[in-house]
Amino acid sequence: MAVAINLKSVFPFWLAASLVISPFLFLPLVTGALIHDNQRLIEISCVLFALGLVWSQWIKGSAIPQLLSRPITLLLALFFLLGLVSSGAAYSPRHAFLEWTNLFLLLGVAWLVAAEISAKGDQLLDKLLMLCGLACAAFLLLAIAIYFSVLKAGVQPKPWQLLFGFSNIRSFNYVQTISLPLLGLLAARMPDRGRQLFWWGITALWWMLLFVSAGRGTFVGLTFAIAIVWFSLRQAAGTWCRAMLLAGLAGLVGYLFFYVAIPLIQGLEPFGFFPTTVGRTLANPTSGRLLLWTRALEMIRENPWLGAGPVHFAHYGRDLQLGSSPHSWPLQMASEWGMPALLLLCGVLALAMRKLWQLRKTISAQDQDTHTAWLVTGLAILVDGFVSGLIVMPTSQLWIAMYVGCAWGWSYSRSPSVKTIDFRPSAVQRILISLVALLMSYALVIGIWPELEALSVLNTSYSKDTVLAPRIFSNGSF
């Protein structure tokens, strides 16, 4: 029992360490693996770790914190039940059960983080935020090194050469949607002025990379979320929102100086994607998403109740050669899980955001920045996810799980008391719990194993002109 408790304490740091190393996995973890494949394997290690911890806690019996209200618990149970039925009726149950299990266990990942923070409070939260900040700082160091090496060589770089660590530059932007406000939160929670200024500087540089990569969905999601929360909470949110926007302005100035002015002085074109953003937006405002959305709507019309099955846009949209997801979380859930499941998920999100919003009435003045950051991050994820594949990429999924766990646990740590369930399983219950855990493990292993065996053949056969559409692995379609 002591071992299980110790591992529970280790788990949040395992998750944070995964966020740190994820962009630096340049060498294949298995033969033929590309960086997206490596990141998926890292995510699988996290969800398997979570499964083992939850199984151990339930099988031995212990006081389990009651971190979900009854309405949310009921809605989530119905949502995953519909997903389970949809998976069984899908074209490829193996792929569908893999997706279903992964998403279910990501909820377990968030729950484990929340349980630890609700028990240990701000001390653990600050450690996890610091590790998230170090993940961004490490990425920044290498990005800056790449910038200076390119500048020294005096050659015009391709925009994608300035950044690293992701199969597609947009996957980096998905991470920024969550990590930018978390960086701002880290800066705001620093105990002294010097460290606050340092981390606000890191936040400004993180904004600068957003302009380099020209992530429109991330920019719109963050600015919209900041504006809505600031307008809604007025003075309570003003300090943090103002600081975030000033950091964004500093990031824009940094981009114009380092990536535009200096290259122009050296006789080069401006670096990055930003100079082409206006033309790209005017020529193709949705970046091909209309075709993806149209296909998703066709799938909804054909299977409105249960959808085509989790992850099955990767099958029914493969002829479009544009992506393995609809790049819109409502359309993805409706087309793959069905309209009833989408409505249940919307109910969960609405109740969770409402609970977070209601904390404004009870929190102290020193908690206002933290509360504001949680609201902004949640809204930014929802808004960006309307037009992006934010919820399907492995690293952004882990960042979302970290955010949900931290916000969830912090919220309950501010409650008068967290109720616990004294669960003492019978022999039959232990057998059932073990059977469920075994089936989930089987779904993960049997789901990824054939793809792992094929990686060495598929990925080495790609040419430099091959357009990949990652979902489960780099060869996302099936």
Side-chain angles (χ1 to χ4, degrees):
M1 188 64 181
V3 174
I5 293 174
N6 290 337
L7 288 177
K8 268 190 67 181
S9 300
V10 167
F11 180 78
F13 297 99
W14 177 281
L15 176 61
S18 298
L19 302 180
V20 173
I21 68 172
S22 183
F24 295 94
L25 298 173
F26 301 114
L27 299 176
L29 296 180
V30 297
T31 303
L34 303 179
I35 194 156
H36 175 88
D37 308 318
N38 286 340
Q39 289 169 351
R40 182 65 73 190
L41 292 173
I42 289 294
E43 181 187 39
I44 294 295
S45 79
C46 290
V47 299
L48 279 173
F49 193 173
L51 175 60
L53 289 175
V54 173
W55 170 80
S56 176
Q57 187 170 3
W58 282 72
I59 200 73
K60 294 181 179 179
S62 61
I64 299 171
Q66 190 175 345
L67 299 179
L68 282 174
S69 66
R70 287 184 180 179
I72 292 181
T73 301
L74 177 61
L75 292 177
L76 277 173
L78 291 174
F79 169 75
F80 280 107
L81 178 61
L82 285 176
L84 196 64
V85 176
S86 175
S87 298
Y91 164 80
S92 174
R94 176 174 69 84
H95 290 93
F97 283 126
L98 170 62
E99 175 86 346
W100 184 92
T101 304
N102 186 56
L103 290 180
F104 185 81
L105 291 179
L106 281 171
L107 178 62
V109 168
W111 181 82
L112 286 169
V113 174
E116 286 295 294
I117 290 179
S118 68
K120 298 178 181 177
D122 286 7
Q123 185 177 8
L124 176 58
L125 174 62
D126 287 334
K127 289 178 181 178
L128 294 180
L129 287 175
M130 178 59 72
L131 287 171
C132 291
L134 292 174
C136 299
F139 189 98
L140 271 168
L141 281 175
L142 190 49
I144 291 170
I146 292 172
Y147 165 80
F148 280 112
S149 65
V150 168
L151 207 61
K152 184 178 180 180
V155 296
Q156 185 70 43
K158 300 291 185 184
W160 52 265
Q161 292 175 323
L162 298 167
L163 298 168
F164 66 95
F166 295 90
S167 58
N168 187 296
I169 200 68
R170 297 301 152 232
S171 296
F172 168 63
N173 294 140
Y174 303 157
V175 166
Q176 285 192 299
T177 299
I178 308 110
S179 57
L180 256 171
L182 293 187
L183 270 177
L185 176 57
L186 172 63
R189 291 177 63 90
M190 284 290 109
D192 59 75
R193 184 68 173 169
R195 280 182 280 184
Q196 283 183 359
L197 289 174
F198 173 81
W199 284 106
W200 277 120
I202 297 296
T203 306
L205 291 174
W206 207 235
W207 275 104
M208 181 181 73
L209 292 191
L210 176 60
F211 292 110
V212 172
S213 56
R216 293 173 296 177
T218 297
F219 181 78
V220 170
L222 283 171
T223 52
F224 177 83
I226 290 171
I228 290 296
V229 174
W230 194 353
F231 177 80
S232 301
L233 293 179
R234 306 287 180 169
Q235 289 184 339
T239 302
W240 188 85
C241 291
R242 191 181 302 111
M244 274 296 285
L245 291 178
L246 286 174
L249 181 60
L252 177 59
V253 171
Y255 167 75
L256 293 174
F257 179 75
F258 290 107
Y259 289 85
V260 177
I262 290 181
L264 287 175
I265 291 171
Q266 291 204 342
L268 301 170
E269 295 293 322
F271 291 175
F273 291 88
F274 194 74
T276 63
T277 300
V278 174
R280 181 164 58 94
T281 301
L282 292 174
N284 188 6
T286 63
S287 298
R289 285 172 175 78
L290 279 180
L291 290 173
L292 294 172
W293 297 339
T294 300
R295 179 57 53 84
L297 290 172
E298 292 170 355
M299 292 170 62
I300 294 169
R301 282 195 296 268
E302 291 178 7
N303 300 281
W305 297 108
L306 290 175
V311 86
H312 269 63
F313 191 93
H315 173 70
Y316 292 101
R318 65 192 187 282
D319 59 300
L320 298 177
Q321 296 292 302
L322 289 171
S324 295
S325 75
H327 285 63
S328 172
W329 68 262
L331 289 177
Q332 179 179 327
M333 286 300 159
S335 63
E336 295 185 348
W337 293 58
M339 285 297 297
L342 171 63
L343 294 175
L344 290 167
L345 179 61
C346 289
V348 170
L349 296 173
L351 290 174
M353 292 300 289
R354 179 173 175 267
K355 182 175 178 59
L356 186 58
W357 170 253
Q358 288 177 330
L359 279 177
R360 76 194 189 281
K361 301 175 183 177
T362 58
I363 59 172
S364 63
Q366 67 182 15
D367 284 335
Q368 288 176 346
D369 286 346
T370 304
H371 181 239
T372 300
W374 297 144
L375 287 170
V376 167
T377 309
L379 284 175
I381 291 169
L382 293 175
V383 173
D384 184 13
F386 264 98
V387 294
S388 76
L390 174 71
I391 67 167
V392 303
M393 294 296 107
T395 304
S396 54
Q397 284 181 337
L398 288 179
W399 274 96
I400 291 172
M402 176 65 85
Y403 155 69
V404 171
C406 288
W408 190 359
W410 181 87
S411 299
Y412 272 87
S413 72
R414 264 56 189 172
S415 301
S417 63
V418 178
K419 297 180 180 179
T420 58
I421 303 170
D422 191 19
F423 183 66
R424 303 297 174 187
S426 64
V428 173
Q429 287 174 323
R430 289 191 184 96
I431 293 172
L432 289 175
I433 292 168
S434 298
L435 180 60
V436 170
L438 185 61
L439 288 173
M440 286 188 175
S441 301
Y442 178 77
L444 289 174
V445 172
I446 200 66
I448 67 170
W449 194 259
E451 272 71 20
L452 282 178
E453 290 184 320
L455 283 180
S456 59
V457 176
L458 289 171
N459 290 347
T460 54
S461 66
Y462 296 143
S463 71
K464 65 178 182 179
D465 298 320
T466 300
V467 178
L468 295 176
R471 185 71 189 264
I472 296 173
F473 287 111
S474 294
N475 49 313
S477 299
F478 62 91

